[in-house]
Every structure is written in structure tokens, then in C-alpha cells.
Amino acid sequence: MVNFTPDLWRSGFGYHTQYRRTLQSDDADAEDMAARLEQLCARCELRAGGERAARAYETTARDERDERDDALAACRVCLGVLQPRALRAAAAEVLRLAAAVRHDGRYKLAVHLPLSVALLRDRVFRQTAAAAAATVNPLSVRDALRLSIAPLLRALGRFCPDAPLLVTLKYDARCCASDAAFLPHLERAALPAAKRPRTPVPSITAAQKLLLELSDHEFAVAAQHLFPLPRVEHPVSIAASVASVPVLLAARYTKLSRVLSQTPWNVLRAAGNARVATSVQAAVERALRKHLLYQKATFTAGGREDVDVRMLGGGRPFIVQLHQSAVVPCLISQRLLDHVAAELQHHVVRLHHLRVVDASYVHKMREYEADKQKHYRCVVYTTGILDQQALRKLQLRDLQLMQKTPLRVLHRRTQMTRPKRIARVDVVRLINPHFVVLDVVAQAGTYIKEFVHGDNGRTTPSIASLLHCFVDIVQLDVTDISHTS
């Protein structure tokens, strides 16, 4: 590790001021910079020298330099992020929040730093240190923070990059006037005149993009306008959160009702918009919430059926993602999930094979959605007489359809013509000369109701066009979902 003296800092500062016109100005600013760098916090001194040993950052917490750090104003480089007061406050808040989450003694850390720390002052600081001592590779604020706070989080467990418990530290700081004044110089260094926006100061997002794209040389040209590092007008504030990584649960559901939607509906009432709670999604989330505490759930199914259509057979696959769960995924037992599914066995919505899955299952379900066939049973009414000749017309194999977007969904779907395939149609039972029960196997995404009645000629051919009479569908069930391959 390199011990940075004021003279060494002056030589590094020359890296940023070599583009100045007068040597006199360089010397004056370098003297001021060296004096101000003596006010760095202890951990910024360590990382400037390239220190990477976790023990060095840990022992600093018991060093007399911490007493000096607490007496100082916020560090001019890290804005107080690495100072003992901020570290203790962040660790105490994390441990308090972690007490409400069941975990396995492993955690991972996400750090969000403000623009002034992560991309402006810290980069100036690290490039200056690297220029002062060629053998030094200064540590970033983010890495130094992880090393510094780990000893204070021993009660939480050990750090692990793939841990199921996510600790998030979000630091926020109002941009200092001097930092804001630097942004136009950044723009002039990064963009040719023809590409510069008309606004005098770029947005934070635009500034981040420019800073990430700048080479060290280009940044050094612009950074001379940020010297000497100004005092901190507004120290950072800290917001901590501790939560399990999203819990992914997969299952299949069957729906035995003809008045139940898959997801909640918003209906217009006299008092305004209201949400109808009765749905497959609501029933699943209600059963899970009784046993697994979480803040929010995201329900994704492999397709959907209409409200008046039952989902039978093996059921429809779905995934529910639980956000900010009070239990990490690896501690959710299969016995508990079986108990959740058993509670719904006498409900109109039933769950099958409920289990914890990983993110790869989402991709598998999307592939399954594109490569599947649906099996239907429907009761059909016709105005014409269903004699033997008509029934023979209904025995279909490998029928190609052209379906325009149905009129009933045209308000929410793009108007287009979709080619679809009917694998087969079988007559199951003739109820009377005007009613018949049919089994239909069709490509995923086929509108079966429109295939039956024709949708005013928007689906061709249709059962109505084959029988040359008015046809309507009375009842429809999904009896199975299978792969084509």
C-alpha cells in the first residue's frame, strides 16, 4: 500500500492540470488540493493507496482516526459514505429490518450511490491517486463500502454473491452547486459541438451516460474544472431495505366456474372504478398470503381462458412471483406448499404441483406457450337440422383457418389476420337435431368461439360456413393443454 503525502498528491494533481495554460495557476491549485486532501476520511486514505485487505477496513473501525472522522465534516470524496457515523447508522438499520425476514445466514449487498460520489468525485480521486503512484490501483467507493460494512453485519451472516437475502443501501445526495457547474464542461469534453443539446445542463441520466463513455484522458480534460474538490454542501442520506429475492412459485390451476376471470377485472360503478376481487389470481394470492408474508405478487399464466370457460384436465401452468417475501425461497418447504394447495381442493380454483422454481422456468413456460395445442369440448347450437350429412361435415382434420381479430376484443387487440390450424374436430354426441357436442383440438391462440359462429365472416372457414346456417356456441370448456412435439 502507498502512503499518500501532500507531495505525492501534488504530482497526481498535475495529471489533471497538465492542460492548464499557466504553471502558476497549477501550483496554487495543487497546494490547495494537497491541503484539502488531508481532510479525507480514513477509508478514502486506505483505498487511495490501493488497500484491498478486508482486515484493514475492519480495524479502522476501532482506530483513533475514526474519532477524527466523526469530528470532521463529510469527506470531500465519498460525501460521508465511508465515515463511521454513516456506516454504523446503515448497519443498525439493516440489522433492524433483517429481524423480520427468515433467512439462511447468507446475504448479498446492492449499493446505489449518487452521481456526485460514484462518477464525479470518486473518479477524480482515483485517477489522481493512480497518476501519483503508477503501481496503485485505487479501490472504488462501492467496493470499499462492502469491505467496511461487512464486520458490522456479522450478526446477519456471511456475504455471498448468490445469497437469497438482498440488502440494499441507497445513498442520496443533492448535487452540490460546484458539481452541477461541472456538467456543462463534461458535455463539451464528451460531445462535438454539432451533437450538444440546447439545454445548458444535461440531465442526470445524460450525465451518467457521458461519464461512463468518457476515456480517462477526456475525463482529465473536463475534470480540471472540478478542482479543487469543493466542500460538501449536503451530506448523503441513507435508505436501507432488506428483503428476500423474489420467490418464484409454479403450479397448474383448474377452474370449475363459469363466472370467474383469470385476473381481477376493473368495473365501473357509481362511486368510480372498483376491482372485482373474485378471480383465479385473487384466490391463489389469498391462499399464499395466509402462509407466506409478502408485499406484492405478480401472476403470469401460460395463456388464458374467457370468464365463462372452465379450465379442466391437468390445468393451466402459471407462475406467481412474490416480492419482498418474509421468507427466503430455500426455507419454503414443499410440505407448506402442499398444505396451501390442499386448502383450495374444495374451491372452484384448485392448484396442482405447487412448487418453488428458479428463473429458468419462466423461459421454459414461454417455450411451452408457443409449442402447445389446446383441447376443447363445446356445446353447439344450429338453426339447421343436424342430419348424418351435416355430422359428416363436422368430422374435420388439419383445417387451416384465417382469423381476423375478433370484434369482441378489437378494442384491445391489434387489427390483423392470423393464420391458425385446427388439428381435428370430432362429434361426441348429438343431443337433438339442433344441439351437438364437439371435441376440438386447435393451435394455441385460436379463437374457438369465432371458429364456431364465424364472427360475421371474419373467421374462414368456420362451422357456420360449413353448415350454411346460423351457428352459436352454448358452452365451452378447455379439457387439456398438450405439446405439439
mmCIF file with all atom_site columns, all heavy atoms in Angstrom, residues 372-391:
data_model
loop_
_atom_site.group_PDB
_atom_site.id
_atom_site.type_symbol
_atom_site.label_atom_id
_atom_site.label_alt_id
_atom_site.label_comp_id
_atom_site.label_asym_id
_atom_site.label_entity_id
_atom_site.label_seq_id
_atom_site.pdbx_PDB_ins_code
_atom_site.Cartn_x
_atom_site.Cartn_y
_atom_site.Cartn_z
_atom_site.occupancy
_atom_site.B_iso_or_equiv
_atom_site.pdbx_formal_charge
_atom_site.auth_seq_id
_atom_site.auth_comp_id
_atom_site.auth_asym_id
_atom_site.auth_atom_id
_atom_site.pdbx_PDB_model_num
ATOM 1   N N   . LYS A 1 372 ? -47.774 -25.518 -28.097 1.00 0.00 ? 372 LYS A N   1
ATOM 2   C CA  . LYS A 1 372 ? -48.806 -26.299 -27.428 1.00 0.00 ? 372 LYS A CA  1
ATOM 3   C C   . LYS A 1 372 ? -50.077 -26.348 -28.260 1.00 0.00 ? 372 LYS A C   1
ATOM 4   O O   . LYS A 1 372 ? -50.299 -25.524 -29.162 1.00 0.00 ? 372 LYS A O   1
ATOM 5   C CB  . LYS A 1 372 ? -49.118 -25.722 -26.045 1.00 0.00 ? 372 LYS A CB  1
ATOM 6   C CG  . LYS A 1 372 ? -49.840 -24.397 -26.077 1.00 0.00 ? 372 LYS A CG  1
ATOM 7   C CD  . LYS A 1 372 ? -50.093 -23.871 -24.675 1.00 0.00 ? 372 LYS A CD  1
ATOM 8   C CE  . LYS A 1 372 ? -50.887 -22.572 -24.727 1.00 0.00 ? 372 LYS A CE  1
ATOM 9   N NZ  . LYS A 1 372 ? -51.110 -22.006 -23.401 1.00 0.00 ? 372 LYS A NZ  1
ATOM 10  N N   . GLN A 1 373 ? -50.902 -27.319 -27.944 1.00 0.00 ? 373 GLN A N   1
ATOM 11  C CA  . GLN A 1 373 ? -52.242 -27.447 -28.509 1.00 0.00 ? 373 GLN A CA  1
ATOM 12  C C   . GLN A 1 373 ? -53.239 -27.428 -27.365 1.00 0.00 ? 373 GLN A C   1
ATOM 13  O O   . GLN A 1 373 ? -52.949 -27.917 -26.267 1.00 0.00 ? 373 GLN A O   1
ATOM 14  C CB  . GLN A 1 373 ? -52.383 -28.752 -29.299 1.00 0.00 ? 373 GLN A CB  1
ATOM 15  C CG  . GLN A 1 373 ? -51.667 -28.760 -30.637 1.00 0.00 ? 373 GLN A CG  1
ATOM 16  C CD  . GLN A 1 373 ? -51.935 -30.040 -31.415 1.00 0.00 ? 373 GLN A CD  1
ATOM 17  O OE1 . GLN A 1 373 ? -52.266 -31.074 -30.839 1.00 0.00 ? 373 GLN A OE1 1
ATOM 18  N NE2 . GLN A 1 373 ? -51.794 -29.974 -32.728 1.00 0.00 ? 373 GLN A NE2 1
ATOM 19  N N   . LYS A 1 374 ? -54.418 -26.894 -27.656 1.00 0.00 ? 374 LYS A N   1
ATOM 20  C CA  . LYS A 1 374 ? -55.477 -26.866 -26.656 1.00 0.00 ? 374 LYS A CA  1
ATOM 21  C C   . LYS A 1 374 ? -56.604 -27.793 -27.089 1.00 0.00 ? 374 LYS A C   1
ATOM 22  O O   . LYS A 1 374 ? -56.973 -27.845 -28.270 1.00 0.00 ? 374 LYS A O   1
ATOM 23  C CB  . LYS A 1 374 ? -56.017 -25.446 -26.474 1.00 0.00 ? 374 LYS A CB  1
ATOM 24  C CG  . LYS A 1 374 ? -55.029 -24.503 -25.826 1.00 0.00 ? 374 LYS A CG  1
ATOM 25  C CD  . LYS A 1 374 ? -55.669 -23.134 -25.590 1.00 0.00 ? 374 LYS A CD  1
ATOM 26  C CE  . LYS A 1 374 ? -54.714 -22.193 -24.906 1.00 0.00 ? 374 LYS A CE  1
ATOM 27  N NZ  . LYS A 1 374 ? -55.313 -20.863 -24.674 1.00 0.00 ? 374 LYS A NZ  1
ATOM 28  N N   . HIS A 1 375 ? -57.117 -28.512 -26.099 1.00 0.00 ? 375 HIS A N   1
ATOM 29  C CA  . HIS A 1 375 ? -58.230 -29.435 -26.323 1.00 0.00 ? 375 HIS A CA  1
ATOM 30  C C   . HIS A 1 375 ? -59.487 -28.818 -25.712 1.00 0.00 ? 375 HIS A C   1
ATOM 31  O O   . HIS A 1 375 ? -59.481 -28.425 -24.542 1.00 0.00 ? 375 HIS A O   1
ATOM 32  C CB  . HIS A 1 375 ? -57.942 -30.787 -25.671 1.00 0.00 ? 375 HIS A CB  1
ATOM 33  C CG  . HIS A 1 375 ? -56.714 -31.454 -26.220 1.00 0.00 ? 375 HIS A CG  1
ATOM 34  N ND1 . HIS A 1 375 ? -56.760 -32.625 -26.943 1.00 0.00 ? 375 HIS A ND1 1
ATOM 35  C CD2 . HIS A 1 375 ? -55.395 -31.117 -26.145 1.00 0.00 ? 375 HIS A CD2 1
ATOM 36  C CE1 . HIS A 1 375 ? -55.538 -32.988 -27.292 1.00 0.00 ? 375 HIS A CE1 1
ATOM 37  N NE2 . HIS A 1 375 ? -54.687 -32.085 -26.806 1.00 0.00 ? 375 HIS A NE2 1
ATOM 38  N N   . TYR A 1 376 ? -60.547 -28.750 -26.501 1.00 0.00 ? 376 TYR A N   1
ATOM 39  C CA  . TYR A 1 376 ? -61.800 -28.128 -26.065 1.00 0.00 ? 376 TYR A CA  1
ATOM 40  C C   . TYR A 1 376 ? -62.959 -29.108 -26.215 1.00 0.00 ? 376 TYR A C   1
ATOM 41  O O   . TYR A 1 376 ? -62.940 -30.001 -27.082 1.00 0.00 ? 376 TYR A O   1
ATOM 42  C CB  . TYR A 1 376 ? -62.117 -26.891 -26.927 1.00 0.00 ? 376 TYR A CB  1
ATOM 43  C CG  . TYR A 1 376 ? -61.098 -25.803 -26.890 1.00 0.00 ? 376 TYR A CG  1
ATOM 44  C CD1 . TYR A 1 376 ? -60.030 -25.785 -27.795 1.00 0.00 ? 376 TYR A CD1 1
ATOM 45  C CD2 . TYR A 1 376 ? -61.187 -24.755 -25.970 1.00 0.00 ? 376 TYR A CD2 1
ATOM 46  C CE1 . TYR A 1 376 ? -59.091 -24.770 -27.789 1.00 0.00 ? 376 TYR A CE1 1
ATOM 47  C CE2 . TYR A 1 376 ? -60.253 -23.729 -25.959 1.00 0.00 ? 376 TYR A CE2 1
ATOM 48  C CZ  . TYR A 1 376 ? -59.217 -23.751 -26.867 1.00 0.00 ? 376 TYR A CZ  1
ATOM 49  O OH  . TYR A 1 376 ? -58.277 -22.752 -26.854 1.00 0.00 ? 376 TYR A OH  1
ATOM 50  N N   . ARG A 1 377 ? -63.970 -28.900 -25.393 1.00 0.00 ? 377 ARG A N   1
ATOM 51  C CA  . ARG A 1 377 ? -65.272 -29.543 -25.587 1.00 0.00 ? 377 ARG A CA  1
ATOM 52  C C   . ARG A 1 377 ? -66.310 -28.436 -25.584 1.00 0.00 ? 377 ARG A C   1
ATOM 53  O O   . ARG A 1 377 ? -66.350 -27.598 -24.667 1.00 0.00 ? 377 ARG A O   1
ATOM 54  C CB  . ARG A 1 377 ? -65.577 -30.562 -24.498 1.00 0.00 ? 377 ARG A CB  1
ATOM 55  C CG  . ARG A 1 377 ? -66.976 -31.170 -24.607 1.00 0.00 ? 377 ARG A CG  1
ATOM 56  C CD  . ARG A 1 377 ? -67.083 -32.483 -23.885 1.00 0.00 ? 377 ARG A CD  1
ATOM 57  N NE  . ARG A 1 377 ? -66.295 -33.523 -24.564 1.00 0.00 ? 377 ARG A NE  1
ATOM 58  C CZ  . ARG A 1 377 ? -66.262 -34.795 -24.178 1.00 0.00 ? 377 ARG A CZ  1
ATOM 59  N NH1 . ARG A 1 377 ? -66.972 -35.203 -23.134 1.00 0.00 ? 377 ARG A NH1 1
ATOM 60  N NH2 . ARG A 1 377 ? -65.530 -35.690 -24.824 1.00 0.00 ? 377 ARG A NH2 1
ATOM 61  N N   . CYS A 1 378 ? -67.156 -28.424 -26.610 1.00 0.00 ? 378 CYS A N   1
ATOM 62  C CA  . CYS A 1 378 ? -68.132 -27.346 -26.721 1.00 0.00 ? 378 CYS A CA  1
ATOM 63  C C   . CYS A 1 378 ? -69.511 -27.898 -27.094 1.00 0.00 ? 378 CYS A C   1
ATOM 64  O O   . CYS A 1 378 ? -69.630 -28.936 -27.768 1.00 0.00 ? 378 CYS A O   1
ATOM 65  C CB  . CYS A 1 378 ? -67.694 -26.312 -27.755 1.00 0.00 ? 378 CYS A CB  1
ATOM 66  S SG  . CYS A 1 378 ? -67.255 -26.978 -29.368 1.00 0.00 ? 378 CYS A SG  1
ATOM 67  N N   . VAL A 1 379 ? -70.529 -27.201 -26.622 1.00 0.00 ? 379 VAL A N   1
ATOM 68  C CA  . VAL A 1 379 ? -71.924 -27.486 -26.986 1.00 0.00 ? 379 VAL A CA  1
ATOM 69  C C   . VAL A 1 379 ? -72.330 -26.441 -28.015 1.00 0.00 ? 379 VAL A C   1
ATOM 70  O O   . VAL A 1 379 ? -72.234 -25.232 -27.764 1.00 0.00 ? 379 VAL A O   1
ATOM 71  C CB  . VAL A 1 379 ? -72.851 -27.434 -25.765 1.00 0.00 ? 379 VAL A CB  1
ATOM 72  C CG1 . VAL A 1 379 ? -74.299 -27.693 -26.190 1.00 0.00 ? 379 VAL A CG1 1
ATOM 73  C CG2 . VAL A 1 379 ? -72.407 -28.433 -24.711 1.00 0.00 ? 379 VAL A CG2 1
ATOM 74  N N   . VAL A 1 380 ? -72.775 -26.897 -29.184 1.00 0.00 ? 380 VAL A N   1
ATOM 75  C CA  . VAL A 1 380 ? -73.045 -26.017 -30.319 1.00 0.00 ? 380 VAL A CA  1
ATOM 76  C C   . VAL A 1 380 ? -74.525 -26.098 -30.691 1.00 0.00 ? 380 VAL A C   1
ATOM 77  O O   . VAL A 1 380 ? -75.110 -27.187 -30.715 1.00 0.00 ? 380 VAL A O   1
ATOM 78  C CB  . VAL A 1 380 ? -72.159 -26.414 -31.524 1.00 0.00 ? 380 VAL A CB  1
ATOM 79  C CG1 . VAL A 1 380 ? -72.547 -25.621 -32.765 1.00 0.00 ? 380 VAL A CG1 1
ATOM 80  C CG2 . VAL A 1 380 ? -70.694 -26.211 -31.186 1.00 0.00 ? 380 VAL A CG2 1
ATOM 81  N N   . TYR A 1 381 ? -75.106 -24.924 -30.997 1.00 0.00 ? 381 TYR A N   1
ATOM 82  C CA  . TYR A 1 381 ? -76.497 -24.848 -31.465 1.00 0.00 ? 381 TYR A CA  1
ATOM 83  C C   . TYR A 1 381 ? -76.515 -24.431 -32.931 1.00 0.00 ? 381 TYR A C   1
ATOM 84  O O   . TYR A 1 381 ? -75.762 -23.518 -33.334 1.00 0.00 ? 381 TYR A O   1
ATOM 85  C CB  . TYR A 1 381 ? -77.276 -23.831 -30.633 1.00 0.00 ? 381 TYR A CB  1
ATOM 86  C CG  . TYR A 1 381 ? -78.583 -23.421 -31.263 1.00 0.00 ? 381 TYR A CG  1
ATOM 87  C CD1 . TYR A 1 381 ? -79.694 -24.251 -31.241 1.00 0.00 ? 381 TYR A CD1 1
ATOM 88  C CD2 . TYR A 1 381 ? -78.693 -22.190 -31.922 1.00 0.00 ? 381 TYR A CD2 1
ATOM 89  C CE1 . TYR A 1 381 ? -80.886 -23.875 -31.840 1.00 0.00 ? 381 TYR A CE1 1
ATOM 90  C CE2 . TYR A 1 381 ? -79.876 -21.801 -32.524 1.00 0.00 ? 381 TYR A CE2 1
ATOM 91  C CZ  . TYR A 1 381 ? -80.971 -22.650 -32.482 1.00 0.00 ? 381 TYR A CZ  1
ATOM 92  O OH  . TYR A 1 381 ? -82.148 -22.279 -33.083 1.00 0.00 ? 381 TYR A OH  1
ATOM 93  N N   . THR A 1 382 ? -77.366 -25.068 -33.726 1.00 0.00 ? 382 THR A N   1
ATOM 94  C CA  . THR A 1 382 ? -77.516 -24.683 -35.135 1.00 0.00 ? 382 THR A CA  1
ATOM 95  C C   . THR A 1 382 ? -79.002 -24.518 -35.447 1.00 0.00 ? 382 THR A C   1
ATOM 96  O O   . THR A 1 382 ? -79.849 -25.225 -34.893 1.00 0.00 ? 382 THR A O   1
ATOM 97  C CB  . THR A 1 382 ? -76.932 -25.753 -36.079 1.00 0.00 ? 382 THR A CB  1
ATOM 98  O OG1 . THR A 1 382 ? -77.752 -26.923 -36.034 1.00 0.00 ? 382 THR A OG1 1
ATOM 99  C CG2 . THR A 1 382 ? -75.512 -26.115 -35.683 1.00 0.00 ? 382 THR A CG2 1
ATOM 100 N N   . THR A 1 383 ? -79.286 -23.574 -36.351 1.00 0.00 ? 383 THR A N   1
ATOM 101 C CA  . THR A 1 383 ? -80.685 -23.423 -36.788 1.00 0.00 ? 383 THR A CA  1
ATOM 102 C C   . THR A 1 383 ? -81.054 -24.508 -37.806 1.00 0.00 ? 383 THR A C   1
ATOM 103 O O   . THR A 1 383 ? -82.217 -24.863 -37.957 1.00 0.00 ? 383 THR A O   1
ATOM 104 C CB  . THR A 1 383 ? -80.901 -22.045 -37.422 1.00 0.00 ? 383 THR A CB  1
ATOM 105 O OG1 . THR A 1 383 ? -79.940 -21.857 -38.481 1.00 0.00 ? 383 THR A OG1 1
ATOM 106 C CG2 . THR A 1 383 ? -80.739 -20.947 -36.381 1.00 0.00 ? 383 THR A CG2 1
ATOM 107 N N   . GLY A 1 384 ? -80.058 -25.043 -38.504 1.00 0.00 ? 384 GLY A N   1
ATOM 108 C CA  . GLY A 1 384 ? -80.308 -26.113 -39.455 1.00 0.00 ? 384 GLY A CA  1
ATOM 109 C C   . GLY A 1 384 ? -80.426 -27.461 -38.750 1.00 0.00 ? 384 GLY A C   1
ATOM 110 O O   . GLY A 1 384 ? -80.014 -27.632 -37.602 1.00 0.00 ? 384 GLY A O   1
ATOM 111 N N   . ILE A 1 385 ? -81.012 -28.423 -39.483 1.00 0.00 ? 385 ILE A N   1
ATOM 112 C CA  . ILE A 1 385 ? -81.171 -29.766 -38.940 1.00 0.00 ? 385 ILE A CA  1
ATOM 113 C C   . ILE A 1 385 ? -79.841 -30.514 -39.061 1.00 0.00 ? 385 ILE A C   1
ATOM 114 O O   . ILE A 1 385 ? -79.216 -30.541 -40.128 1.00 0.00 ? 385 ILE A O   1
ATOM 115 C CB  . ILE A 1 385 ? -82.279 -30.535 -39.689 1.00 0.00 ? 385 ILE A CB  1
ATOM 116 C CG1 . ILE A 1 385 ? -83.616 -29.780 -39.565 1.00 0.00 ? 385 ILE A CG1 1
ATOM 117 C CG2 . ILE A 1 385 ? -82.397 -31.956 -39.152 1.00 0.00 ? 385 ILE A CG2 1
ATOM 118 C CD1 . ILE A 1 385 ? -84.124 -29.662 -38.156 1.00 0.00 ? 385 ILE A CD1 1
ATOM 119 N N   . LEU A 1 386 ? -79.421 -31.124 -37.946 1.00 0.00 ? 386 LEU A N   1
ATOM 120 C CA  . LEU A 1 386 ? -78.169 -31.872 -37.936 1.00 0.00 ? 386 LEU A CA  1
ATOM 121 C C   . LEU A 1 386 ? -78.432 -33.327 -38.333 1.00 0.00 ? 386 LEU A C   1
ATOM 122 O O   . LEU A 1 386 ? -78.620 -34.217 -37.499 1.00 0.00 ? 386 LEU A O   1
ATOM 123 C CB  . LEU A 1 386 ? -77.526 -31.795 -36.542 1.00 0.00 ? 386 LEU A CB  1
ATOM 124 C CG  . LEU A 1 386 ? -76.978 -30.410 -36.144 1.00 0.00 ? 386 LEU A CG  1
ATOM 125 C CD1 . LEU A 1 386 ? -76.583 -30.396 -34.676 1.00 0.00 ? 386 LEU A CD1 1
ATOM 126 C CD2 . LEU A 1 386 ? -75.800 -30.025 -37.022 1.00 0.00 ? 386 LEU A CD2 1
ATOM 127 N N   . ASP A 1 387 ? -78.446 -33.588 -39.626 1.00 0.00 ? 387 ASP A N   1
ATOM 128 C CA  . ASP A 1 387 ? -78.628 -34.957 -40.110 1.00 0.00 ? 387 ASP A CA  1
ATOM 129 C C   . ASP A 1 387 ? -77.250 -35.602 -40.287 1.00 0.00 ? 387 ASP A C   1
ATOM 130 O O   . ASP A 1 387 ? -76.218 -35.016 -39.958 1.00 0.00 ? 387 ASP A O   1
ATOM 131 C CB  . ASP A 1 387 ? -79.417 -34.964 -41.419 1.00 0.00 ? 387 ASP A CB  1
ATOM 132 C CG  . ASP A 1 387 ? -78.814 -34.041 -42.478 1.00 0.00 ? 387 ASP A CG  1
ATOM 133 O OD1 . ASP A 1 387 ? -77.608 -33.688 -42.320 1.00 0.00 ? 387 ASP A OD1 1
ATOM 134 O OD2 . ASP A 1 387 ? -79.501 -33.665 -43.428 1.00 0.00 ? 387 ASP A OD2 1
ATOM 135 N N   . GLN A 1 388 ? -77.231 -36.821 -40.828 1.00 0.00 ? 388 GLN A N   1
ATOM 136 C CA  . GLN A 1 388 ? -75.967 -37.540 -40.975 1.00 0.00 ? 388 GLN A CA  1
ATOM 137 C C   . GLN A 1 388 ? -74.995 -36.818 -41.912 1.00 0.00 ? 388 GLN A C   1
ATOM 138 O O   . GLN A 1 388 ? -73.780 -36.810 -41.676 1.00 0.00 ? 388 GLN A O   1
ATOM 139 C CB  . GLN A 1 388 ? -76.246 -38.962 -41.514 1.00 0.00 ? 388 GLN A CB  1
ATOM 140 C CG  . GLN A 1 388 ? -76.929 -39.868 -40.504 1.00 0.00 ? 388 GLN A CG  1
ATOM 141 C CD  . GLN A 1 388 ? -76.084 -40.053 -39.247 1.00 0.00 ? 388 GLN A CD  1
ATOM 142 O OE1 . GLN A 1 388 ? -74.876 -40.239 -39.314 1.00 0.00 ? 388 GLN A OE1 1
ATOM 143 N NE2 . GLN A 1 388 ? -76.743 -39.997 -38.095 1.00 0.00 ? 388 GLN A NE2 1
ATOM 144 N N   . GLN A 1 389 ? -75.519 -36.202 -42.954 1.00 0.00 ? 389 GLN A N   1
ATOM 145 C CA  . GLN A 1 389 ? -74.648 -35.465 -43.872 1.00 0.00 ? 389 GLN A CA  1
ATOM 146 C C   . GLN A 1 389 ? -74.002 -34.281 -43.174 1.00 0.00 ? 389 GLN A C   1
ATOM 147 O O   . GLN A 1 389 ? -72.809 -34.013 -43.346 1.00 0.00 ? 389 GLN A O   1
ATOM 148 C CB  . GLN A 1 389 ? -75.472 -34.995 -45.079 1.00 0.00 ? 389 GLN A CB  1
ATOM 149 C CG  . GLN A 1 389 ? -74.630 -34.268 -46.113 1.00 0.00 ? 389 GLN A CG  1
ATOM 150 C CD  . GLN A 1 389 ? -75.451 -33.802 -47.311 1.00 0.00 ? 389 GLN A CD  1
ATOM 151 O OE1 . GLN A 1 389 ? -76.665 -34.039 -47.383 1.00 0.00 ? 389 GLN A OE1 1
ATOM 152 N NE2 . GLN A 1 389 ? -74.801 -33.146 -48.255 1.00 0.00 ? 389 GLN A NE2 1
ATOM 153 N N   . ALA A 1 390 ? -74.783 -33.563 -42.323 1.00 0.00 ? 390 ALA A N   1
ATOM 154 C CA  . ALA A 1 390 ? -74.227 -32.415 -41.587 1.00 0.00 ? 390 ALA A CA  1
ATOM 155 C C   . ALA A 1 390 ? -73.184 -32.879 -40.570 1.00 0.00 ? 390 ALA A C   1
ATOM 156 O O   . ALA A 1 390 ? -72.146 -32.240 -40.400 1.00 0.00 ? 390 ALA A O   1
ATOM 157 C CB  . ALA A 1 390 ? -75.352 -31.649 -40.899 1.00 0.00 ? 390 ALA A CB  1
ATOM 158 N N   . LEU A 1 391 ? -73.452 -34.004 -39.912 1.00 0.00 ? 391 LEU A N   1
ATOM 159 C CA  . LEU A 1 391 ? -72.491 -34.502 -38.924 1.00 0.00 ? 391 LEU A CA  1
ATOM 160 C C   . LEU A 1 391 ? -71.177 -34.924 -39.585 1.00 0.00 ? 391 LEU A C   1
ATOM 161 O O   . LEU A 1 391 ? -70.102 -34.766 -38.993 1.00 0.00 ? 391 LEU A O   1
ATOM 162 C CB  . LEU A 1 391 ? -73.094 -35.672 -38.153 1.00 0.00 ? 391 LEU A CB  1
ATOM 163 C CG  . LEU A 1 391 ? -74.297 -35.325 -37.248 1.00 0.00 ? 391 LEU A CG  1
ATOM 164 C CD1 . LEU A 1 391 ? -74.830 -36.583 -36.580 1.00 0.00 ? 391 LEU A CD1 1
ATOM 165 C CD2 . LEU A 1 391 ? -73.913 -34.281 -36.207 1.00 0.00 ? 391 LEU A CD2 1
#
